Amino acid sequence: MIPAAFEYRRVHTVEDAVAQLGELGDDAKLLAGGHSLLPLMRLRLATPAVVVDIGRVEGLSYVRDEGDQVAIGALTRHRDVEISPVLREMVPLLAHAASQVGDPQVRHRGTIGGSLAHGDPASDLPAVVLALGGTLVAQGPGGRREIPAGEFFTGFLETALEPGEVLVEVRVPASPGGWSFQKFNRRAQDWAIVGVAAVRRNGSSGVALVNMGSTPVRARATEEALASGASVADAAALAAEGLDPPADLNASPEFRAHLARVLVRRALEEAGG
Amino acid sequence: MSILGQRVLRTEDPKFLTSGASYVADLDLPGALSVAYVRSPVAHALVRSVDLDAARRAPGVVAVFAGADVDAGPMPAEAPGAPAAMRRPLLARERVRFVGEPVAAVVATSRAAAVDAAEAVVVDYEPLPAVVEPEAALAGEDLLFPEAGTNLVVEMDFGRTDAFFDGCEVVVRQRIVNQRVAPCPLEVRAAAARVQADGRVTYWVSTQAPHSARDTVAACLGLDKAEVHVVTPDVGGGFGAKIGSYPEEVFVAWLARRLGRPVRWVETRSESMLGLGHGRAQVQEVEVGGRRDGTILAYRLDVVQDAGAYPSVGALLPFFTRMMATGVYRIERAEFRSRTVVTNTTPVVAYRGAGRPEATAAIERAVDLFAAELGLDPAEVRRRNLVPPDAFPYTTPTGTVYDSGDYRRDLDLALERAGYAALRAEQAARRAEGATRQLGIGLSTYVEVTNGLPGGEWGSVEVLPSGRATVLAGTSPHGQGHATAFAMLAADATGLAIEDIDVRTGDTDLVPRGGGTMGSRSLQTGGIAVRQAAETLVEQARRLAAELLEAAPDDVVHDASTGSFSVAGSPTTARSWAELAAAAAERADWGRLQAEADFTPPGPTFPFGAHVVVVEVDTETGQVQLRRVVAVDDAGALLNPLLAEGQVHGGIAQGVAQALLEEVRYDAEGNPLTANLADYPFVSATELPSFELSHTETPTPRNPLGVKGIGESGTIGATPAVQNAVVDALAHLGVRHLDMPARPERIWEAVRASSGTTSR
Ligand SMILES: Cc1cc2nc3c(=O)[nH]c(=O)nc-3n(C[C@H](O)[C@H](O)[C@H](O)COP(=O)(O)OP(=O)(O)OC[C@H]3O[C@@H](n4cnc5c(N)ncnc54)[C@H](O)[C@@H]3O)c2cc1C
């Protein structure tokens, strides 16, 4: 399809981006890798009057070892997350999950910031950052602030970012221990029908789910059961507890709940300990 | 050594692999206007009013038309026997019958302007109940064409025998849905038109059949055929869906005449998913009866064919399904009935196989069901019932006459290549240990018909004084490799080099007549015509050489390895093709060195083969992994194995896609749910293993080269093998049938229903 007419503006600094958003309000949309925004525009499901391209903002694409955590610039492409030696060693779950996003074209264009800011429950990286207990850094007119991943995803395609804020960085704790990423789909290039990100760290477990609700979600019942000593099988059986999975062409809510239970069990078995 | 049978590289590929190919969208048409169609958002409704005013005032808009403004059409009847009231208008008028049906057309100076203005057209719809399921259409409560008084398009019913299953110890029945799929050629539909100074219309279109496109435009616009010049540039795939013409294309020619300016339409993928015809769409009842030893005695197939909103080629698919109903098996009694109905969905057309994959899927599932009921190995049941090699020509109970075959040899070869016994042993071991991932082994032994409708082709070869030759053919390639294949045929007969031969097709001014490319017919019709034209040309050249060399024609020797003519015994006198062409040009009684031929074969040909497919099914999640595809195909003599393998590759991929992934879906109101490639799971390379291909060559007596067609064997042979493999993986759990595609949830439900457990 052909998108509705729009104005294109390119900015070179985060400050400029913030200023543009402040000036334009709801009329503007930030453009990073474009791999979520442009499909919506082409289907005319999104019709922003102005597209503010942050793709060439300097200094927002990096992966930095900060000791007990890793800081990732918002414009870091999925492919760069996938092959980052720092992430492969310190947060292998994230590096691996990035390698499972879409296809090579998508991974060379899409950015981690765009993936998180889009807030799609079917996307892989939000669940990974949730399971890891990451932190998101936003910059707005009043400066920078940090948002825990657990508070970031507020509704379907909605996040805690204020109008006028740009996501600039993602921080995830070093998690070199057991982990698993289970992505259930019919074709390698597809979004997950259900996905599971699991990580074991210092005896505690983080488990988050892809496409099991209107936002990326933690499997809280499973996490709590594990914390109180339940077996993997028993904890996994609670994976869909309290969740309201969506229905679509690929799966009914009932089947999604079943998949979540099976995949969480497999994930915990693979993550070990 | 003859180049026939050699793996000659495709001469067209350098062009396609770089930027040299030219599609309708690429044509340089100065001043061309763009068209955008306003499409119905509802499946079934009365059109109360169409308000074009706002669109007319939009920037860049040149003209806007609704159905009432159009003094052309309807589309010619494509389905003999269909009620006249069901013919399709170019733009809908009083009623819309499927989501995506064009209601108005906006012509503007740019595509973007046309698309924007199309949103300003206001149509007032009064919704009617939508008829979505073919079986509901049959019930006839709501009619798409009240004037016709029925939703039934055509019926083929040869009656039922009460004693049909007499003597059968076992009778198995199954309802099978051969689901609707979308052909998805990479190049979507496109057409352009310009009125020339002499008043003729030049019409560029992405089609498989240029001459019938010409005839359709002429018929709809009330023109003489000679007033329409069709040019088919490169075509990026069709798969059957570009055999017929579409209203959106024909209307472009109407617009060019009406507006006096060149006009072009190129659709988007989203439009293509709604407007390009769909394929398959049959609901089948199969019944198979026989003896406990595995002998099949009686087979009955009852088909309800969904034609979509307007009967097109799709209405005729059951004709081919009936032709091939009993497949490779010698079955004493067969009964067939089909009823084609209209529904409020995208019209159904031919799709790679067109009625034959449906026949093969039905009988191959039936044979497996029969074997499972008896507890016999499906390979053994097949062997017991195959038509033997000495039975050809073999007349089936539905009256089809198969030309040649050795079905048993291909089955045995496929089983051997697959390592069938070892696979069964591995399967038994996994079953015994209760493995989560079970192994499924699926067989399909198939026979199909190529060039299934009677008809021939025209071909011509001309050598120019430059030494280059031009081959013309009435067939119209869109990926098959005719430029290579036809050049090979001409080169082999004449001794010219392949590089010196240009193959041209798709231009109705250059090519006087042609059927086009469909039904795997091109080599056995167009190829033979080219071959015969080349042979005639050699004889003409011999006569001319005899004149020049002052010898008797019988004494002139044609050396097909060098492409020269000389007097027997004195090779130094040789004349080249270029010299002969130059001499012809100088002589008034010759003028050109050119010959042509029409070839009409005495009947269709029947390729066959056997496919063995191995899948792994995750019994917890319902995930299917395709492990192996072992295919043995026999398409008669092979002209170029590389081209044949290319056809088999693509066909298997699409067959796998139907079995595992693809399905066009609608909701109860007829809203399409799979209208883009995010929702419609088009198969990709990552889902496919390397295919293990073999060929046998059983020539047909129906043409001089002994060649059959290979374009559709993949979708015919592979699809049921994959489906059978999925069912086979779950057979020990009590699953006896699963409709395609093998969606994980469908498998999970079947496992759950069979084992009585809810979740593990
Ligand atoms: C064919 C295809 C397959 C895909 N498959 C998958 C898959 O399997 N798994 C998966 O997870 N994803 C998948 N994706 C989505 C892909 O990962 C996207 O790239 C990603 O979700 C968005 O990142 P982006 O940089 O492209 O963002 P954009 O599309 O540019 O932006 C997305 C949204 O986020 C906003 N935004 C972007 N950057 C910022 C920022 N720094 N601060 C604030 N707001 C911002 C934009 O305004 C927009 O609303 C697929 C996409 C395609 C096209």
Side-chain angles (χ1 to χ4, degrees):
Chain A
M1 284 274 297
I2 296 167
F6 61 91
E7 188 191 329
Y8 172 88
R9 294 188 192 172
R10 182 185 293 165
V11 292
H12 294 279
T13 64
V14 175
E15 289 70 23
D16 274 355
V18 171
Q20 292 283 347
L21 291 178
E23 175 196 327
L24 297 160
D26 280 352
D27 286 345
K29 268 283 181 197
L30 294 181
L31 175 76
H35 268 50
S36 290
L37 181 60
L38 294 185
L40 292 177
M41 287 173 62
R42 289 171 68 96
L43 292 168
R44 298 199 171 194
L45 295 173
T47 52
V50 183
V51 167
V52 178
D53 185 356
I54 56 169
R56 303 188 198 195
V57 168
E58 295 280 321
L60 270 193
S61 173
Y62 55 84
V63 176
R64 225 162 29 222
D65 174 356
E66 296 189 343
D68 59 351
Q69 65 175 4
V70 179
I72 307 156
L75 285 182
T76 311
R77 311 236 185 235
H78 303 322
R79 172 69 179 165
D80 294 322
V81 171
E82 173 188 348
I83 61 173
S84 155
V86 171
L87 283 170
R88 284 193 174 183
E89 191 181 317
M90 295 176 65
V91 198
L93 167 62
L94 180 56
H96 172 77
S99 79
Q100 303 296 296
V101 173
D103 54 37
Q105 284 100 317
V106 175
R107 296 197 286 274
H108 278 88
R109 299 300 304 176
T111 65
I112 188 168
S115 183
L116 294 167
H118 194 53
D120 186 344
S123 286
D124 298 311
L125 303 186
V128 170
V129 174
L130 263 186
L132 288 165
T135 304
L136 293 93
V137 182
Q139 183 171 333
R144 291 192 163 209
R145 68 179 179 118
E146 294 187 3
I147 309 165
E151 294 165 18
F152 187 73
F153 304 106
T154 54
F156 182 69
L157 304 187
E158 282 175 14
T159 69
L161 286 177
E162 297 288 338
E165 276 187 325
V166 178
L167 180 63
V168 290
E169 188 175 274
V170 183
R171 294 193 196 139
V172 285
S175 312
W179 60 274
S180 176
F181 186 68
Q182 302 281 328
K183 182 168 180 176
F184 186 82
N185 56 14
R186 295 170 74 196
R187 300 180 304 168
Q189 70 195 55
D190 281 334
W191 271 268
I193 295 173
V194 172
V196 178
V199 61
R200 316 281 305 225
R201 196 175 52 239
N202 308 330
S204 79
S205 305
V207 183
L209 304 171
V210 180
N211 221 352
M212 280 295 288
S214 57
T215 64
V217 285
R218 300 186 80 114
R220 287 207 187 283
T222 295
E223 288 178 340
E224 283 161 15
L226 288 170
S228 56
S231 70
V232 160
D234 288 348
L238 301 172
E241 209 78 345
L243 299 180
D244 185 14
D248 61 23
L249 289 177
N250 285 313
S252 64
E254 197 190 8
F255 182 49
R256 279 211 159 78
H258 165 78
L259 285 174
R261 289 188 288 267
V262 172
L263 298 173
V264 164
R265 192 197 71 227
R266 290 182 183 179
L268 292 174
E269 282 166 2
E270 188 177 74
Chain B
M1 188 178 67
S2 166
I3 50 171
L4 305 190
Q6 305 293 314
R7 302 175 73 87
V8 175
L9 289 182
R10 285 165 48 106
T11 57
E12 50 271 81
D13 276 350
K15 176 180 84 167
F16 284 121
L17 295 176
T18 61
S19 55
S22 175
Y23 302 94
V24 172
D26 303 321
L27 295 172
D28 184 22
L29 291 174
L33 301 170
S34 283
V35 192
Y37 289 102
V38 176
R39 296 176 180 278
S40 172
V42 286
H44 198 190
L46 297 176
V47 178
R48 282 291 170 221
S49 65
V50 184
D51 183 350
L52 307 175
D53 286 348
R56 286 197 171 116
R57 288 193 306 269
V61 169
V62 173
V64 188
F65 300 98
D69 306 324
V70 181
D71 58 354
M75 297 293 286
E78 282 178 340
M86 294 184 180
R87 281 174 67 182
R88 183 172 175 186
L90 295 186
L91 297 179
R93 292 174 189 224
E94 298 84 27
R95 192 185 275 251
V96 289
R97 296 184 175 85
F98 68 99
V99 173
E101 180 168 9
V103 183
V106 178
V107 189
T109 48
S110 77
R111 198 176 175 198
V115 170
D116 282 344
E119 293 202 334
V121 171
V122 181
V123 186
D124 184 12
Y125 296 102
E126 181 182 322
L128 296 169
V131 182
V132 182
E133 295 300 328
E135 286 150 314
L138 210 47
E141 252 168 58
D142 298 301
L143 298 179
L144 273 75
F145 301 88
E147 319 83 287
T150 176
N151 289 325
L152 191 67
V153 180
V154 283
E155 180 169 18
M156 282 196 286
D157 191 349
F158 300 87
R160 292 202 156 207
T161 321
D162 286 340
F164 190 65
F165 289 108
D166 280 9
C168 294
E169 294 161 358
V170 177
V171 178
V172 186
R173 301 187 165 79
Q174 182 64 47
R175 176 181 185 270
I176 299 174
V177 177
N178 203 296
Q179 85 273 26
R180 175 187 283 254
V181 292
C184 298
L186 286 186
E187 187 205 12
V188 291
R189 291 176 300 168
R194 179 165 61 198
V195 180
Q196 306 294 5
D198 62 2
R200 292 179 82 211
V201 180
T202 305
Y203 177 66
W204 295 266
V205 63
S206 178
T207 183
Q208 301 176 222
H211 292 83
S212 80
R214 176 196 63 188
D215 298 354
T216 299
V217 168
C220 286
L221 271 53
L223 299 174
D224 195 272
K225 286 178 193 180
E227 292 176 272
V228 181
H229 173 202
V230 170
V231 181
T232 307
D234 288 319
V235 175
F239 305 115
K242 291 181 185 168
I243 296 173
S245 292
Y246 292 92
E248 293 101 317
E249 299 162 353
V250 174
F251 195 61
V252 167
W254 184 85
L255 286 171
R257 278 171 48 92
R258 172 74 173 242
L259 301 172
R261 293 174 66 176
V263 177
R264 170 160 38 202
W265 171 69
V266 180
E267 70 179 344
T268 64
R269 178 64 62 183
S270 303
E271 285 183 284
S272 195
M273 295 302 286
L274 303 179
L276 182 85
H278 294 156
R280 310 285 186 260
Q282 287 191 358
V283 180
Q284 307 169 327
E285 272 315 320
V286 298
E287 295 173 88
V288 58
R291 287 199 290 266
R292 294 214 161 271
D293 66 0
T295 309
I296 299 171
L297 297 173
Y299 177 66
R300 183 184 272 159
L301 178 58
D302 191 354
V303 173
V304 180
Q305 172 73 52
D306 184 351
Y310 296 95
S312 170
V313 180
L316 304 178
L317 300 180
F319 173 82
F320 294 105
T321 307
R322 173 174 180 269
M323 218 173 160
M324 301 314 300
T326 52
V328 290
Y329 309 107
R330 178 139 76 174
I331 302 177
E332 274 174 24
R333 301 191 289 280
E335 278 184 3
F336 182 90
R337 175 174 70 158
S338 70
R339 289 166 293 172
T340 297
V341 293
V342 282
T343 60
N344 292 115
T345 59
T346 296
V348 173
V349 299
Y351 170 58
R352 206 163 192 170
R356 297 109 76 203
E358 296 87 327
T360 305
I363 186 104
E364 290 304 292
R365 278 303 302 133
V367 169
D368 262 30
L369 283 159
F370 184 65
E373 185 74 19
L374 299 174
L376 296 176
D377 186 316
E380 190 44 44
V381 172
R382 283 179 172 76
R383 280 199 193 99
R384 190 174 289 269
N385 293 286
L386 292 176
V387 175
D390 58 10
F392 294 90
Y394 172 77
T395 304
T396 73
T398 58
T400 308
V401 186
Y402 295 170
D403 52 351
S404 61
D406 190 343
Y407 305 152
R408 173 71 188 258
R409 181 196 50 196
D410 278 17
L411 173 60
D412 287 345
L413 186 58
L415 294 172
E416 184 199 311
R417 293 270 152 93
Y420 188 62
L423 287 171
R424 285 285 175 212
E426 186 186 341
Q427 178 181 58
R430 290 202 200 189
R431 286 180 179 179
E433 75 188 41
T436 302
R437 289 186 178 78
Q438 289 289 332
L439 202 68
I441 307 150
L443 308 185
S444 145
T445 37
Y446 75 89
V447 57
E448 60 132 337
V449 56
T450 61
N451 191 32
L453 292 173
E457 273 300 347
W458 178 89
S460 149
V461 182
E462 175 171 13
V463 180
L464 306 171
S466 65
R468 293 192 70 79
T470 304
V471 166
L472 300 175
T475 49
S476 197
H478 39 284
Q480 291 81 359
H482 294 177
T484 309
F486 290 7
M488 285 172 72
L489 290 166
D492 182 68
T494 58
L496 288 158
I498 289 178
E499 310 78 74
D500 291 336
I501 300 174
D502 300 310
V503 177
R504 300 188 61 182
T505 56
D507 183 322
T508 56
D509 276 5
L510 287 177
V511 177
R513 52 193 168 274
T517 288
M518 63 208 64
S520 305
R521 68 190 294 273
S522 294
L523 179 57
Q524 61 192 297
T525 55
I528 305 293
V530 166
R531 174 76 178 183
Q532 293 186 339
E535 286 167 356
T536 304
L537 188 66
V538 168
E539 290 321 306
Q540 288 180 13
R542 191 194 307 279
R543 281 208 315 280
L544 181 58
E547 281 181 33
L548 297 175
L549 299 169
E550 293 171 2
D554 284 351
D555 291 338
V556 173
V557 183
H558 170 227
D559 181 347
S561 63
T562 59
S564 59
F565 293 82
S566 57
V567 179
S570 49
T572 49
T573 60
R575 290 288 189 278
S576 70
W577 277 106
E579 288 165 338
L580 292 174
E586 281 165 13
R587 294 172 164 238
D589 53 338
W590 281 84
R592 297 165 69 193
L593 198 52
Q594 184 260 355
E596 56 189 63
D598 281 288
F599 177 73
T600 302
T605 61
F606 295 85
F608 60 92
H611 289 202
V612 179
V613 163
V614 183
V615 298
E616 257 180 31
V617 179
D618 184 325
T619 53
E620 282 186 318
T621 64
Q623 183 75 287
V624 178
Q625 286 268 339
L626 183 63
R627 289 292 176 218
R628 293 175 64 196
V629 177
V630 180
V632 179
D633 296 299
D634 191 320
L638 284 186
L639 172 68
N640 180 338
L642 196 66
L643 294 181
E645 282 165 18
Q647 291 296 308
V648 173
H649 267 258
I652 290 177
Q654 285 178 310
V656 168
Q658 185 181 6
L660 296 183
L661 291 167
E662 294 184 12
E663 180 175 26
V664 172
R665 292 167 76 178
Y666 290 92
D667 70 11
E669 279 77 51
N671 297 304
L673 304 175
T674 47
N676 59 49
L677 291 184
D679 295 326
Y680 188 80
F682 191 84
V683 76
S684 68
T686 39
E687 283 66 57
L688 301 167
S690 287
F691 303 143
E692 301 165 57
L693 308 184
S694 313
H695 291 282
T696 58
E697 297 189 49
T698 307
T700 177
R702 292 185 181 164
N703 64 62
L705 290 176
V707 296
K708 303 183 182 181
I710 189 80
E712 296 155 295
S713 64
T715 52
I716 293 166
T719 314
V722 179
Q723 189 186 11
N724 281 341
V726 174
V727 177
D728 182 63
L730 305 170
H732 66 297
L733 302 176
V735 175
R736 58 188 285 285
H737 177 76
L738 278 171
D739 276 327
M740 301 184 290
R743 275 198 296 276
E745 182 159 9
R746 187 173 261 174
I747 291 175
W748 173 63
E749 278 169 354
V751 170
R752 215 163 50 141
S754 306
S755 57
T757 61
T758 46
S759 175
R760 290 183 49 181

